[in-house]
Amino acid sequence: ASPSRKSTSNNGADEELVQMMALGGRSKPGFDPSTNPNSNDQIFRAQQIRKYLQRPGNKAPNMEKSSSSPTTVYEACHKAAHFYSMLQCEDGHWAADYGGPHFLMPGLVVAWYIMGKPQQLLDDDQVTLLKHYILVHQQVDGGWGTHIESPSTMFGSVLIYVALRLLGVPADHRACVLARIFLDEHGGALYTSSWSKFYLCLLGVMDWRGHNSVPPEMWLLPNWFPFHPGRMWCHARMVYLPMGYLYGNRYVYRKAEEDPLIADLRRELYPQYKDYSTIPWMKTRHWIAETDNYSPIPWVMKTVQNILARYEEWSIFQPFKKHVRKMGVNFSLEYMDAEDLQTNYIDIGPVNKVLNMISHFHATGGDLKNYKIVNHMMRVQDYLWIAEDGMKMQGYNGSQCWDSSFCIQALYEADLLDEFPELTRKAWSYFERTQILSTEVSQSSPAYQFEANEYRLKFYRHISEGGWPFSTSAHGWPISDCTSEGLKATLCLLKTKTIQGALKSKSVLPISEERLHKAINVLLTYQNEDGGWATYENNRGWGWYEQLNPSEVFGDIMIDYSYVECSMAVLTSLVDFSEMYPDHRTADIQESINRGRTFLKSIQREDGSWYGSWACCFCYGIWFGVEGLIKCGEPTDSACITKACEFLLRQQRANGGWGEDFTSCYDKDYAQEGMKAYGDHGSGVVSTAWALMALSMAKCPNVEAVRRGVQYLIKRQLPCGDWPQEGIAGVFNRSVGITYTAYRNVFPIWAMGRCREVYGEALDEQND
Ligand code: LAN
């Protein structure tokens, strides 16, 4: 290395070393979407490593992979933990890139544009970085996928194209020319999916008649009515809420008619039509490209939409129609206010975040100084993340609590927590601070006029008190499995000498037993009638709600279903809790565990696997299925466990690893090709870790298979203790991938730690 690059900054961090450690398996800095579109999180990681090395007494891991003596499982775990400890944030959590979907940032850009491009919302540097992100992710066919690893779709491409143009890239830029070729080949923007059409309508580059009705009157239905939006999955509900408001008002960007860019877009998006005014909007409502049609709209919904289209056009009963629409719109606004207050203007997710902001912009008559708009704009920053591929809008305001709770459990099982006391104390403080302690809204908020419970029920919220969120306490929505993982992590920490000592010396704040009881209470109330657990709420609707799924691109979004992941998480946390506190609600907990166990068995597939809904895919699902059952008392040699292990053993690859990519989730069928594009001969580090966690939990008698899996992880570990970032690991709504950069660090530690505990030193042998 040239001496100039080896600049040791005045505070002791060797910059070259920092960069090398932040590369995560890539040989050179920068971003190369042709080899891996997934972010390695280089920028954030380098920043954390730099800060760590600047603190006195801290050292970098030894980067020499010793060739004389083989690495033992313990050494590999320790080094991985040392590396990951460098990334911990000051307040005790682990932060990471939570990007992946391509349909989120365009919504923000549309909002920013409609609102007159306020600098408080996106400044010039952010605009540059957003453009960079879009440009590096363009695919060879000119389009963009629904997420970074998906083949190009009209959903991704139309939205991103519009965002690119709004961000100031000229129509004759190479990227735009290429993108238009993709759009034209798929019939033009009329064939994009409904969620993308919605933004086009807001912007004024599509007529509202080209969008199916989203009637805000649906909120006026009585709660007992079989179809009620209050029974929908909260993410779908909270998106269709502002959509109803904006549709009901037929809101369009105020300057659409005089803005030359809008006029250009009206031409660029529909080259099939000579004139924008000749587009037969009523007919185009149902048009959708083949590439996007993951969940074709069922005929039931199509019929409903056709009837609603007539209703919207109908001129009789005008005054009555106007009146109920106004009531629907008013309730929607009130509901959005409640959501904004309950989440400190973060909102449940990136889609309703933006749509709520636009709604308030409309409701306040475009007043950028209005406190609601100011609050909203400030909280947009929570969703933005900078990585080597530019700036992206994340799928959530982060995965802080979730990633941290896995990390703590991994280190606990690898018996490493007490070796990293500072990490352990900081993590404790994070869980202490992040637990949601109040269902009630703050007294200063206007929402206080309601008694807490009444307010909660009015807006269809489950109780929150005692839960843990996916991200931060400010977000405020508890989730069944996030609460469970948070609780399990807290219990792990309670068992360490470090925390016991810190609690005695009062150097950390306590988490009282009563607070743990509250967590248990949330978990028990979350159990569904089928015995399983869904995500944020109980299952409130029925399977037939899916007949009314209007999204085309997403699967199974209409209600909150029981999942193997959520169910296992809750069950194992109940078991862990009752081991430590056997006298609390003993009968309730036991009954709940029994029902949950039956549920887990009932959703095992014929072939022995479980389908994972929130990460890729069967290796993930099987880990949850197996661990859940065994912790609830299932013997490790019972038929269902043996069958699950056999499934995994059949999928092991020649090099000892396992590998599945996103297509497993999309097709609901094990992806035989594995991670061929990113991993090593189809194997991947994260899939391998999940498979090993299941096998070792089940004490699988095939020690050789486990040894080869563990050796595979050791072989793939980088000199600094990190592992390479491979394909996208997370998923939602069946069809969208989402990045979890922490998984490559956490799950190998967890898996190796558990395997070492179960199988001992036999795994250290390197026979291959
Ligand atoms: C998440 C993130 C966390 C995730 C787990 C906790 C991992 C899971 O076990 C339960 C489901 C949950 C909470 C989940 C649900 C769907 C989310 C919220 C996301 C994948 C993050 C982003 C996604 C959300 C729906 C994205 C916005 C897009 C829409 C279609 C509204």
Side-chain angles (χ1 to χ4, degrees):
S2 69
S4 58
R5 281 193 59 211
K6 208 174 166 64
S7 59
T8 305
S9 42
N10 48 10
N11 25 38
D14 174 341
E15 195 48 35
E16 199 178 346
L17 185 69
V18 169
Q19 292 300 333
M20 213 147 69
M21 287 195 284
L23 275 173
R26 293 210 183 114
S27 53
K28 56 179 190 313
F31 176 74
D32 184 359
S34 64
T35 54
N36 187 346
N38 213 343
S39 155
N40 173 58
D41 227 356
Q42 209 170 298
I43 294 177
F44 171 72
R45 286 172 171 233
Q47 172 197 313
Q48 291 305 109
I49 294 170
R50 206 176 291 125
K51 277 197 215 151
Y52 174 89
L53 294 178
Q54 283 165 0
R55 287 197 291 272
N58 284 348
K59 277 205 187 72
N62 177 7
M63 301 274 280
E64 310 289 326
K65 234 188 178 174
S66 72
S67 48
S68 50
S69 63
T71 312
T72 63
V73 179
Y74 174 76
E75 278 167 12
C77 284
H78 195 281
K79 196 170 210 181
H82 182 180
F83 176 79
Y84 203 50
S85 75
M86 300 199 291
L87 305 185
Q88 189 183 24
C89 294
E90 265 314 293
D91 72 351
H93 78 279
W94 278 265
D97 184 331
Y98 200 47
H102 275 335
F103 61 91
L104 306 173
M105 177 236 284
L108 177 63
V109 174
V110 167
W112 166 77
Y113 194 83
I114 287 177
M115 291 164 68
K117 308 203 224 173
Q119 285 277 323
Q120 312 94 290
L121 188 48
L122 292 175
D123 65 28
D124 297 342
D125 292 333
Q126 290 177 316
V127 166
T128 307
L129 285 166
L130 290 175
K131 272 192 276 199
H132 180 76
Y133 174 85
I134 292 182
L135 293 174
V136 297
H137 281 286
Q138 188 170 30
Q139 322 218 56
V140 280
D141 61 6
W144 288 265
T146 297
H147 60 97
I148 52 175
E149 281 186 25
S150 115
S152 301
T153 57
M154 288 298 274
F155 185 28
S157 304
V158 169
L159 279 176
I160 291 267
Y161 178 78
V162 169
L164 200 55
R165 297 285 285 116
L166 298 182
L167 289 168
V169 176
D172 59 359
H173 185 288
R174 201 184 115 82
C176 294
V177 175
L178 274 174
R180 284 200 305 275
I181 294 175
F182 179 85
L183 299 187
D184 296 352
E185 271 170 4
H186 291 80
L190 293 169
Y191 285 87
T192 191
S193 47
S194 59
W195 282 34
S196 137
K197 289 180 181 173
F198 195 85
Y199 292 106
L200 300 186
C201 293
L202 292 179
L203 194 60
V205 298
M206 180 173 274
D207 191 287
W208 276 114
R209 280 171 301 160
H211 194 283
N212 277 308
S213 173
V214 190
E217 293 87 344
M218 61 186 169
W219 294 104
L220 306 176
L221 292 168
N223 284 337
W224 55 261
F225 199 71
F227 179 80
H228 192 287
R231 295 175 188 272
M232 278 162 67
W233 182 44
C234 54
H235 274 282
R237 177 170 90 228
M238 299 317 286
V239 167
Y240 284 107
L241 173 69
M243 278 189 174
Y245 175 86
L246 292 163
Y247 178 85
N249 284 297
R250 297 292 196 288
Y251 176 67
V252 181
Y253 165 45
R254 205 158 34 97
K255 297 195 183 135
E257 294 309 320
E258 64 215 55
D259 185 330
L261 181 53
I262 299 298
D264 285 348
L265 279 171
R266 286 179 178 182
R267 269 191 301 275
E268 291 160 24
L269 293 172
Y270 316 103
Q272 292 77 3
Y273 293 85
K274 267 219 188 77
D275 191 354
Y276 182 74
S277 65
T278 61
I279 300 176
W281 296 112
M282 275 298 262
K283 264 212 259 164
T284 66
R285 283 183 295 121
H286 294 310
W287 292 4
I288 175 84
E290 215 29 60
T291 45
D292 290 40
N293 209 4
Y294 184 70
S295 296
I297 298 190
W299 67 265
V300 185
M301 187 56 182
K302 271 204 179 137
T303 313
V304 172
Q305 287 175 330
N306 290 337
I307 295 170
L308 286 173
R310 295 281 159 267
Y311 175 77
E312 299 288 345
E313 298 276 290
W314 231 7
S315 54
I316 36 178
F317 302 135
Q318 233 9 300
F320 168 76
K321 266 177 66 187
K322 259 200 183 146
H323 178 69
V324 277
R325 176 127 301 177
K326 190 144 188 40
M327 281 167 61
V329 157
N330 287 348
F331 177 78
S332 303
L333 202 55
E334 203 188 332
Y335 194 171
M336 282 187 274
D337 277 331
E339 158 79 348
D340 292 341
L341 289 170
Q342 282 165 338
T343 61
N344 297 288
Y345 288 84
I346 296 169
D347 292 343
I348 194 171
V351 180
N352 82 322
K353 162 74 198 165
V354 164
L355 293 177
N356 281 17
M357 183 166 69
I358 301 177
S359 302
H360 287 312
F361 183 73
H362 167 265
T364 58
D367 176 7
L368 287 182
K369 295 218 167 74
N370 180 284
Y371 77 96
K372 290 184 193 172
I373 307 291
V374 173
N375 283 343
H376 256 299
M377 290 199 292
M378 290 199 297
R379 280 301 195 175
V380 162
Q381 308 302 320
D382 294 47
Y383 282 94
L384 303 177
W385 188 265
I386 298 174
E388 62 272 28
D389 53 346
M391 193 168 77
K392 58 198 78 179
M393 182 159 196
Q394 304 189 104
Y396 220 72
N397 66 328
S399 52
Q400 297 87 325
C401 192
W402 181 250
D403 285 337
S404 307
S405 59
F406 277 153
C407 172
I408 291 307
Q409 294 176 73
L411 296 180
Y412 178 78
E413 257 196 86
D415 206 8
L416 287 169
L417 280 177
D418 283 325
E419 295 198 32
F420 295 88
E422 195 192 332
L423 170 153
T424 303
R425 272 191 299 267
K426 280 187 184 170
W428 170 272
S429 304
Y430 189 73
F431 290 112
E432 191 281 316
R433 254 171 16 101
T434 307
Q435 189 181 17
I436 299 162
L437 289 181
S438 172
T439 303
E440 288 151 61
V441 285
S442 106
Q443 286 194 29
S444 58
S445 110
Y448 197 73
Q449 61 188 279
F450 300 99
E451 223 177 280
N453 216 29
E454 192 188 320
Y455 185 72
R456 178 174 74 76
L457 292 175
K458 178 166 182 189
F459 300 117
Y460 308 101
R461 287 284 303 253
H462 194 87
I463 54 167
S464 312
E465 200 176 358
W468 269 276
F470 182 69
S471 53
T472 57
S473 56
H475 181 286
W477 278 82
I479 302 169
S480 68
D481 55 355
C482 301
T483 301
S484 309
E485 302 300 348
L487 177 61
K488 282 192 282 179
T490 303
L491 297 178
C492 287
L493 288 166
L494 266 176
K495 288 186 255 187
T496 61
K497 288 202 185 74
T498 309
I499 293 305
Q500 285 164 5
L503 285 170
K504 247 196 220 125
S505 65
K506 301 209 161 107
S507 57
V508 292
L509 288 174
I511 300 179
S512 67
E513 226 175 288
E514 196 197 343
R515 280 171 60 173
L516 303 181
H517 294 172
K518 286 187 174 156
I520 292 293
N521 185 50
V522 183
L523 295 177
L524 291 175
T525 59
Y526 265 142
Q527 190 165 26
N528 286 327
E529 265 165 36
D530 63 10
W533 280 264
T535 62
Y536 294 75
E537 290 160 348
N538 295 108
N539 174 326
R540 300 172 176 179
W542 295 273
W544 57 261
Y545 270 47
E546 226 51 63
Q547 295 300 312
L548 301 172
N549 177 354
S551 75
E552 299 131 345
V553 286
F554 305 123
D556 301 333
I557 58 162
M558 293 299 285
I559 53 171
D560 209 342
Y561 298 90
S562 292
Y563 295 101
V564 66
E565 295 97 323
C566 301
S567 305
M568 170 281 213
V570 179
L571 287 167
T572 52
S573 69
L574 292 177
V575 171
D576 284 358
F577 173 84
S578 54
E579 268 167 18
M580 285 174 76
Y581 305 94
D583 299 329
H584 181 70
R585 294 184 72 173
T586 319
D588 293 345
I589 291 180
Q590 197 48 52
E591 205 232 54
S592 166
I593 291 176
N594 293 344
R595 285 174 53 217
R597 182 171 162 185
T598 313
F599 171 77
L600 282 185
K601 280 193 188 170
S602 76
I603 56 165
Q604 186 176 24
R605 293 187 165 202
E606 260 312 290
D607 60 11
S609 68
W610 279 269
Y611 175 79
S613 292
W614 306 107
C616 311
C617 171
F618 291 96
C619 290
Y620 187 67
I622 294 174
W623 160 41
F624 283 97
V626 166
E627 184 158 338
L629 282 176
I630 293 178
K631 275 235 173 163
C632 292
E634 193 69 25
T636 52
D637 59 357
S638 75
C640 56
I641 301 293
T642 315
K643 219 164 132 189
C645 292
E646 279 166 2
F647 179 93
L648 283 175
L649 293 173
R650 278 201 299 280
Q651 307 298 346
Q652 190 172 24
R653 290 171 183 272
N655 60 10
W658 280 260
E660 269 180 282
D661 70 354
F662 172 78
T663 50
S664 268
C665 313
Y666 191 89
D667 299 334
K668 302 192 179 173
D669 194 13
Y670 195 91
Q672 298 295 340
E673 297 282 278
M675 281 212 177
K676 65 175 186 319
Y678 317 107
D680 171 39
H681 301 289
S683 293
V685 169
V686 176
S687 307
T688 303
W690 288 330
L692 288 173
M693 287 177 61
L695 291 175
S696 52
M697 187 75 204
K699 302 205 165 47
C700 169
N702 190 340
V703 187
E704 181 53 16
V706 174
R707 188 195 63 78
R708 288 176 54 236
V710 169
Q711 285 300 323
Y712 176 78
L713 291 180
I714 294 180
K715 195 181 92 199
R716 296 278 283 156
Q717 191 176 26
L718 300 169
C720 60
D722 192 4
W723 273 272
Q725 175 62 49
E726 296 163 334
I728 205 153
V731 68
F732 61 93
N733 303 357
R734 312 280 174 254
S735 60
V736 194
I738 190 157
T739 300
Y740 287 85
T741 57
Y743 283 8
R744 71 177 199 257
N745 297 106
V746 169
F747 287 110
I749 301 180
W750 199 343
M752 289 195 294
R754 179 178 290 177
C755 288
R756 184 165 167 268
E757 178 68 30
V758 174
Y759 299 96
E761 311 300 318
L763 303 177
D764 287 336
E765 270 166 55
Q766 293 177 318
N767 293 341
D768 322 275

